[in-house]
Amino acid sequence: MLFKMRIGLKLQIRIGCTNTKAPVSQILKYCNSRCLAVVPQGGNTGLVGGSVPVFDEVIVSVGSMNNIISFNKVSGILVCEAGCILENLISFLDNQGFIMPLDLGAKGSCQIGGNVSTNAGGLRLVRYGSLHGNVLGVEAVLANGDVLDMLGTLRKDNTGYDLKHLFIGSEGSLGIVTKVSILTPPKLSSVNIAFLACKDYSSCQKLLMEAKRKLGEILSAFEFLDNQAMNLVLHHLDGVRNPLPASMHSFYVLIETTGSDESYDREKLEAFLLSSMEGGLISDGVLAQDINQASSFWRIREGVPEALMKAGAVYKYDLSLPVEKMYNLVDDMRVRLGNLAKVVGFGHLGDGNLHLNISAPQYDDTILEQIEPYVYEWTFKHRGSISAEHGLGLMKANKIHYSKSPETVQIMASIKKLLDPNGILNPYKVLPH
Amino acid sequence: MLFKMRIGLKLQIRIGCTNTKAPVSQILKYCNSRCLAVVPQGGNTGLVGGSVPVFDEVIVSVGSMNNIISFNKVSGILVCEAGCILENLISFLDNQGFIMPLDLGAKGSCQIGGNVSTNAGGLRLVRYGSLHGNVLGVEAVLANGDVLDMLGTLRKDNTGYDLKHLFIGSEGSLGIVTKVSILTPPKLSSVNIAFLACKDYSSCQKLLMEAKRKLGEILSAFEFLDNQAMNLVLHHLDGVRNPLPASMHSFYVLIETTGSDESYDREKLEAFLLSSMEGGLISDGVLAQDINQASSFWRIREGVPEALMKAGAVYKYDLSLPVEKMYNLVDDMRVRLGNLAKVVGFGHLGDGNLHLNISAPQYDDTILEQIEPYVYEWTFKHRGSISAEHGLGLMKANKIHYSKSPETVQIMASIKKLLDPNGILNPYKVLPH
């Protein structure tokens, strides 16, 4: 189906002009007519090889399409081009008194088109939900150059099948997202952050349930890391200090609240911490006293991947699992690997999203054989997802069956064939080869 | 493509047994093999004829598939069969300390499978977002009897195309939803309701902006009705009294807050009302003092459709429009219709969803000619939606072009053909004939 182009050198096409619709459309039309494979590229920050060429695909970068088209202050709806860098959108909205419902570590270089195409998750999902809920419209160019204008700016629209969802998370394999319309919440003035210690995983879970109930509408992040992750951060990142230095704990939890009244919110969080301490759910804890301390707490949680990179080789898994079973996998892996490697667990506990990382001095097939396919089989057995937020890309396309039924994969393949009959868009990615 | 079955009488098949998968699958397989058309039916409460047979389709009712399969108190994820009545789910969750992210007038008889299939909106959307964000998984049976198991119970799953979205809002025309997995928020203990008067539509809009910012995370409803709607309710519904009887106002707004702390929330709402009164955004207002008064405020807003029915003939339109332009259409219609009919505007202002209703002593083609296609053309011109939350069903299938581009409709038709090649599922609905 796919004509493997052999032109000897990589061709990269950067698009940038006021009317961005025509060029992407024309490029795809041309490539499709000649069965030239294309890899759409945003900030190229993905972790599963979804935006890199495998052989000699034409790279279509949308980075120069970076205009904000409109912003409506009544509805909070932002319309922009796909190449806008997430951090720039965050800054723009900040000036308007709004925030993006999406925030992630790569915000300095990732682009909104890529975020939408990969259904990026990140740190605010527990509060604002996924992009399937927040993206109101997209413009996408199909493989044959047809422009699908689904760029609605309405919160509600029940007129036929909501096709935009096909382009959210399909990693550029069904079309290239060129414009996005997104609902942004008003910026709330009061942000509080607590860094807490728990004696076991069961306490972390109970703390989550309590936080959902008692902090309710102001809870905006519930992140966790285990002591292996904490150790790595403390050893490998300059200037990071343990906010709870009295003793090492098994688990650390970062809780953030965001609300509209500083004194109410702080009182509420303090009352919550007090009752959690009294109830034995937390062993220790500290509330950030200023923005610097708040940043230093976030630095610990966000610094885990960087510390892992500095520590040597790392095998990374991004899994969704039922919260109550999530940490059993980390324990199981420790038993399997023994002294071969360190097993590190951290992630978005509030979303049931575990980042399982295996750290070793160097890459070693003996280690890999202990990890795979065991991790995938374990996830399959517990009806989890082998890619919670990173996507499948090149690296996990052939592993889709661990999370999706054969009938579902078959329908995906049919839809791929329907929208991209020559298979030119991001080949070798997402669907099994 | 569709074989029009002529069997002389309507055949209704009610499904009910512990393993509900096999029967729906077998019925569809049988019907598909013989090109017998099928209309899936839930509570049959739709407003656009989406769940009624047109000629002699076999009605497949899922009403007896009404088991709750599981509920996870840590994650708040409910899994249930499609025939569960919404109100029963609300009661079940209430006992568990959770709520449905969805509430609507028809809750006493509508079913969750129908809610999902029609992407029902309702009263809580402004707080919790649409079903595309809250539904985590569905099981759907395709026209050929294949069961698509997409019944995930994970907040995050980026493994391939998220096909469940095709079944959310496609009104049973791509498959029959048999099971649903849905994320439910914790029930928050403090609910406050205010009934307010505004002198003009511009004040309503400004009030919405202020409410989003100042009430922020506790805002859970922002509904409005104009004085025509208020008059109808006061004249036609027994026992309804005007909470602001001193004088008639042009617009009425119902604001609800839901939070976790009664005293904070009430103080916050009172402060908001005071500043809105001082700023001239509201002319009068009252805060419900108890649950009975709160119910009586909701009764006014929810009673508008009933009052309209009692007043005579009614032409109903469910439109999404940019908030700032929304009420211009009501004004325009009043000019067009003059004394021929009353034009009533109410709805979910917080979502940009206008329920435009034209009330007349009896149905009259002269009136209809003044309304259609004008209303649809007006909506098209402002990039609105001709069906915000009711769907297209039978009544609006041919009007899809007012809200969707020809290319998009073409792709919809291709997907319909892919999943239901014989066209047996809910024919004459959603897509243009």
Side-chain angles (χ1 to χ4, degrees), chain B residues 300-316:
Chain B
I300 295 171
R301 166 59 190 85
E302 292 193 286
V304 181
E306 188 186 333
L308 279 156
M309 295 295 283
K310 290 190 176 171
V314 56
Y315 300 88
K316 299 170 83 69

Side-chain angles (χ1 to χ4, degrees), chain A residues 15 19 44 115-116 128 152 188 194 244 265 309 313 321 362 386 411 423:
Chain A
I15 320 295
N19 177 0
N44 204 12
N115 296 149
V116 170
Y128 297 111
L188 300 175
L244 304 170
D265 293 355
M309 295 296 283
L321 288 165
Q362 59 223 358
I386 60 154
I411 302 282

Side-chain angles (χ1 to χ4, degrees), chain B residues 194-199 207 242-249 251-253 273 276-278 280-287:
Chain B
F195 197 86
L196 312 171
C198 294
K199 67 176 185 298
L207 191 68
N242 187 348
L244 305 170
S247 60
M248 276 304 282
H249 302 272
F251 291 90
Y252 296 89
V253 169
L273 296 185
S276 303
M277 191 78 89
E278 285 170 359
L281 292 185
I282 55 178
S283 332
D284 199 357
V286 56
L287 198 58

